[in-house]
Amino acid sequence: MATTVPHQQPTPERFFDFINAYQQTEAMKAAIELEIFTAVAEGNTTAPTIAKRCKAAERGVRILCDFLTIHGFLTKDGSEYALAPDSALFLNRNSPAYIGGAIEFLLTPRLREGNARLAEAVRRGGTALGQGTLEPENPDWVKFAQAMMPLMQVPAETMAAELRKGGEAHKILDIAASHGIFGISAAKQNPSAHVYAADWKNVLEVASKNAQAMGVADRYHLLPGSAFETEFGSGYDLVLIPNFLHHFDLPTCVTFMRKVYAALKPGGRAAIAELVPNPDRVSPPTAAAFSMMMLATTPTGDAYTFAELESISKSAGFGRVELAPPEIGLDRLVIAYR
Amino acid sequence: MATTVPHQQPTPERFFDFINAYQQTEAMKAAIELEIFTAVAEGNTTAPTIAKRCKAAERGVRILCDFLTIHGFLTKDGSEYALAPDSALFLNRNSPAYIGGAIEFLLTPRLREGNARLAEAVRRGGTALGQGTLEPENPDWVKFAQAMMPLMQVPAETMAAELRKGGEAHKILDIAASHGIFGISAAKQNPSAHVYAADWKNVLEVASKNAQAMGVADRYHLLPGSAFETEFGSGYDLVLIPNFLHHFDLPTCVTFMRKVYAALKPGGRAAIAELVPNPDRVSPPTAAAFSMMMLATTPTGDAYTFAELESISKSAGFGRVELAPPEIGLDRLVIAYR
């Protein structure tokens, strides 16, 4: 399938936009830090009033707000700014769906450095940072667990509800549990289920607190350590594998899925949530582009197509493998049946 | 004029794209450094052959090329990549219009640091870097002169040809001459003209070499130093002011244009080339977004609307001020008549 290029006449403008794209990152970071969206939500709609609320200079605010308008995060009518719908929902600190805190992980120095050394990563075929994000007890995953939790709540509920349709689960394993929200949502959908959360010890402290706060602590158990080495036990109805496989190469994924297969009871399900590009690997854009983050920050990770995830699962012994209909945030849900 | 937001349902996807936009910068930088576009132009169209030509890993090349395809710089058909028209013209090192060298300036550490400290710039209303790019003899302007020359050749010729329509010039002043190409093009269009190039001493070495290479050295004269302090002399028919005013605030621009007015003979013209946003300051996108670069890297610079450039010129004594029809690259041409 050939991709198309939208504009007709050659122009260097797209090159400039691309080279200067780091300004978008910096502008969003500044807007979150200064609480620009929150200020507008509170009724400050002009550069002078936003500037006062954000303790910033009017000129600085005007230029930043114009930039955010150019890129669709604000609208502008005369000199009045308003929030675009996305910004109202996700970027106002007082919105329950606020995700601004995600920058604490998304812009963590290790991720930025991995990308800054991209030419080196392309040359060697993997991150220039040694083990990259995969180092044991990497504190970035604690940040991830704390920062991404609000963003993952709706996807986790969607995933748990979809999986509940396939039958009740009594013993659930949550791989790379992180904030724990995938396992916690499954615990809520399956009232008798015990959830075993696997992740690095430092990360499980976050999951454990969340399990307590969300009232499932008595059915929540911790499996600290590397997911490749920890003894999972057996007899699981359901193993959740959200955003984990993309960190590894195909053979490693197969090895891991064999371990999952062994932990499941017959008829049990492995539920993989992943950014899944189409076979062309260039669409849909966000899922396809995710490969680049894996190249920059892991030794051998990638965004896998459904065919690859199916092949991984079947090589590990699974029978049927299906792509479930709902979107799990930016992810797709792949279910492999033992 | 209200701006519109393209998508209907709120989604965090745009936020993620924006936060991760720095990957676009790093991807283009890597692609230029590795000569990916040149490799494709030379007939290497698959990941393995491009990897061989670029001395890189096949996996790294495949992920980078897919990323460049997602963003329209390459096309992909099966596993074959091809250059999008922009890339063929501007990013193949063997193309006469190659502009890849521009990254040497566009990604210079000072510009990146100014943007990285954007929240601070918004708070204070100007760059967090002291004088930012405006420091005397700032070596970044030598990089600029060397890196941007290829990109400015066509715009400079367009500008010189447009100005020639208004009459022959015999004495021309080129402000912030940089690579010198604006003045050199004017010298070619006006065969009897002497050109006086004003810029920092270190920068004029680049202009001087280019004037020699392009055969106008005998009519080319240097005016080293700050454009605000250097004695320009008088009796000019034409003063070129390309991409200069945006570094300063409005009163400073007026002061400067008074100096230009004084240097012109009656009937002479000041030719201002600038990124000119519409009165709404949020369109067209590239010109409007340029304000952000000025906020991040200068104490008081901005992208000025035509009304502002007209007002600056009239406050400095000029009579008629017009927006000339052709686009000068990403710039517009504003002519002020003494």
Side-chain angles (χ1 to χ4, degrees):
Chain A
M1 183 169 43
T3 48
T4 54
V5 177
H7 60 259
Q8 264 84 59
Q9 258 203 318
T11 152
E13 196 157 1
R14 178 186 284 265
F15 165 76
F16 282 114
D17 289 348
F18 214 64
I19 277 289
N20 286 329
Y22 72 100
Q23 288 189 296
Q24 298 175 23
T25 305
E26 308 299 359
M28 182 55 74
K29 181 165 173 278
I32 296 286
E33 285 175 12
L34 293 164
E35 305 194 342
I36 298 284
F37 302 107
T38 310
V40 177
E42 290 167 356
N44 308 288
T45 60
T46 62
T49 56
I50 298 166
K52 198 176 166 200
R53 160 66 174 78
C54 299
K55 299 189 175 63
E58 181 181 330
R59 173 172 178 274
V61 165
R62 187 256 299 165
I63 292 175
L64 177 56
C65 288
D66 283 346
F67 191 83
L68 295 168
T69 303
I70 293 164
H71 291 282
F73 291 95
L74 296 175
T75 59
K76 187 180 184 185
D77 193 350
S79 59
E80 301 253 335
Y81 299 99
L83 297 177
D86 289 359
S87 307
L89 186 61
F90 295 115
L91 302 177
N92 165 17
R93 190 175 278 276
N94 300 318
S95 162
Y98 177 70
I99 57 171
I103 64 169
E104 296 300 326
F105 171 75
L106 294 170
L107 299 180
T108 202
R110 200 182 304 232
L111 294 192
R112 296 202 65 167
E113 193 195 340
N115 281 283
R117 294 170 66 182
L118 187 62
E120 205 177 330
V122 174
R123 282 197 190 97
R124 66 164 74 178
T127 181
L129 305 182
Q131 284 302 298
T133 53
L134 302 186
E135 286 183 4
E137 310 261 331
N138 172 2
D140 289 344
W141 295 120
V142 178
K143 279 192 201 170
F144 179 91
Q146 290 161 339
M148 302 298 269
M149 162 90 171
L151 195 63
M152 289 299 138
Q153 206 135 359
V154 172
E157 280 162 22
T158 307
M159 181 163 162
E162 178 69 19
L163 291 168
R164 182 64 187 80
K165 291 181 197 164
E168 195 174 348
H170 302 286
K171 190 174 179 187
I172 299 170
L173 176 59
D174 186 7
I175 299 295
S178 186
H179 33 65
I181 190 67
F182 286 97
I184 293 166
S185 297
K188 287 183 163 179
Q189 286 277 345
N190 300 272
S192 78
H194 280 251
V195 173
Y196 295 78
D199 210 320
W200 299 113
K201 186 163 176 283
N202 54 349
V203 178
L204 284 179
E205 289 172 21
V206 182
S208 182
K209 272 185 204 150
N210 287 334
Q212 193 126 31
M214 298 172 96
V216 300
D218 55 327
R219 300 186 281 130
Y220 203 75
H221 313 279
L222 307 182
L223 297 172
S226 158
F228 291 90
E229 290 160 21
T230 305
E231 178 54 57
F232 291 153
S234 61
Y236 291 96
D237 304 289
L238 189 56
V239 178
L240 308 176
I241 313 167
N243 299 308
F244 179 70
L245 297 180
H246 58 239
H247 296 98
F248 311 102
D249 60 19
L250 289 168
T252 306
C253 289
V254 172
T255 302
F256 180 75
M257 287 301 286
R258 283 209 185 99
K259 192 178 172 195
V260 169
Y261 184 89
L264 281 166
K265 67 183 184 193
R269 293 169 289 166
I272 300 165
E274 281 289 337
L275 287 148
V276 179
N278 292 327
D280 64 14
R281 291 197 118 80
V282 293
S283 68
T286 301
F290 186 68
S291 286
M292 179 61 91
M293 191 58 86
M294 291 303 100
L295 173 64
T297 63
T298 70
T300 60
D302 209 342
Y304 292 115
T305 63
F306 174 68
E308 286 168 327
L309 293 169
E310 186 178 37
S311 162
I312 288 167
S313 303
K314 294 202 163 176
S315 300
F318 286 88
R320 188 157 56 93
V321 181
E322 67 182 32
L323 188 64
E327 291 177 1
I328 311 299
L330 302 175
D331 283 348
R332 298 302 307 270
L333 173 60
V334 173
I335 305 176
Y337 294 81
R338 166 159 180 176
Chain B
M1 182 170 42
T3 49
T4 55
V5 177
H7 61 259
Q8 265 84 58
Q9 259 204 318
T11 152
E13 196 156 3
R14 177 186 284 264
F15 165 77
F16 282 114
D17 289 348
F18 214 64
I19 276 289
N20 286 329
Y22 72 100
Q23 288 189 295
Q24 298 175 22
T25 305
E26 307 300 358
M28 182 55 74
K29 180 165 174 277
I32 297 286
E33 284 175 13
L34 293 163
E35 305 193 342
I36 298 283
F37 303 107
T38 310
V40 177
E42 288 167 358
N44 307 288
T45 59
T46 63
T49 56
I50 298 166
K52 197 175 167 198
R53 161 64 174 78
C54 298
K55 299 189 175 63
E58 181 181 330
R59 173 172 176 274
V61 165
R62 186 257 298 165
I63 292 175
L64 177 57
C65 287
D66 283 345
F67 191 84
L68 295 167
T69 302
I70 293 165
H71 291 282
F73 292 94
L74 296 175
T75 58
K76 186 180 184 184
D77 193 351
S79 58
E80 301 253 334
Y81 300 99
L83 297 177
D86 289 359
S87 308
L89 187 60
F90 295 115
L91 301 177
N92 165 17
R93 190 174 279 277
N94 300 318
S95 162
Y98 177 69
I99 57 171
I103 65 169
E104 296 299 326
F105 171 75
L106 294 170
L107 299 180
T108 201
R110 199 182 303 232
L111 293 192
R112 294 202 66 167
E113 193 195 339
N115 281 283
R117 294 171 66 182
L118 188 61
E120 205 178 330
V122 175
R123 283 197 189 96
R124 66 164 74 178
T127 181
L129 305 182
Q131 285 301 298
T133 53
L134 302 186
E135 287 182 5
E137 311 260 329
N138 172 2
D140 289 344
W141 294 120
V142 177
K143 279 192 201 169
F144 178 92
Q146 288 162 340
M148 302 298 270
M149 162 90 172
L151 194 62
M152 290 298 138
Q153 206 135 358
V154 172
E157 280 162 21
T158 307
M159 181 163 162
E162 178 68 20
L163 291 168
R164 183 62 187 83
K165 291 181 196 165
E168 195 174 346
H170 302 286
K171 190 176 179 185
I172 298 170
L173 176 59
D174 186 6
I175 300 295
S178 185
H179 33 63
I181 190 67
F182 286 96
I184 293 166
S185 296
K188 288 183 162 180
Q189 285 277 346
N190 299 272
S192 79
H194 281 251
V195 173
Y196 295 77
D199 211 320
W200 299 113
K201 187 162 177 283
N202 54 349
V203 178
L204 284 178
E205 288 172 23
V206 182
S208 181
K209 271 185 205 152
N210 287 334
Q212 193 126 32
M214 298 173 94
V216 301
D218 55 329
R219 300 186 281 129
Y220 203 75
H221 314 279
L222 307 182
L223 297 172
S226 158
F228 292 90
E229 290 161 20
T230 306
E231 178 54 57
F232 291 153
S234 62
Y236 290 97
D237 305 289
L238 189 58
V239 179
L240 308 176
I241 313 168
N243 300 308
F244 179 70
L245 296 180
H246 58 240
H247 296 98
F248 310 102
D249 60 19
L250 288 169
T252 307
C253 288
V254 172
T255 302
F256 180 75
M257 287 301 286
R258 284 210 184 98
K259 191 178 172 196
V260 170
Y261 184 89
L264 281 166
K265 66 183 184 194
R269 292 170 291 164
I272 299 164
E274 282 290 338
L275 286 148
V276 180
N278 292 328
D280 63 13
R281 287 192 181 282
V282 292
S283 68
T286 301
F290 187 68
S291 285
M292 180 60 91
M293 191 60 85
M294 291 302 100
L295 173 64
T297 63
T298 70
T300 59
D302 209 342
Y304 292 115
T305 64
F306 174 67
E308 286 169 325
L309 293 169
E310 187 178 36
S311 162
I312 289 166
S313 302
K314 293 202 165 176
S315 300
F318 286 89
R320 188 155 59 91
V321 182
E322 67 182 32
L323 189 65
E327 291 176 3
I328 310 300
L330 301 175
D331 283 347
R332 298 302 307 270
L333 173 59
V334 172
I335 306 176
Y337 295 81
R338 168 163 177 172

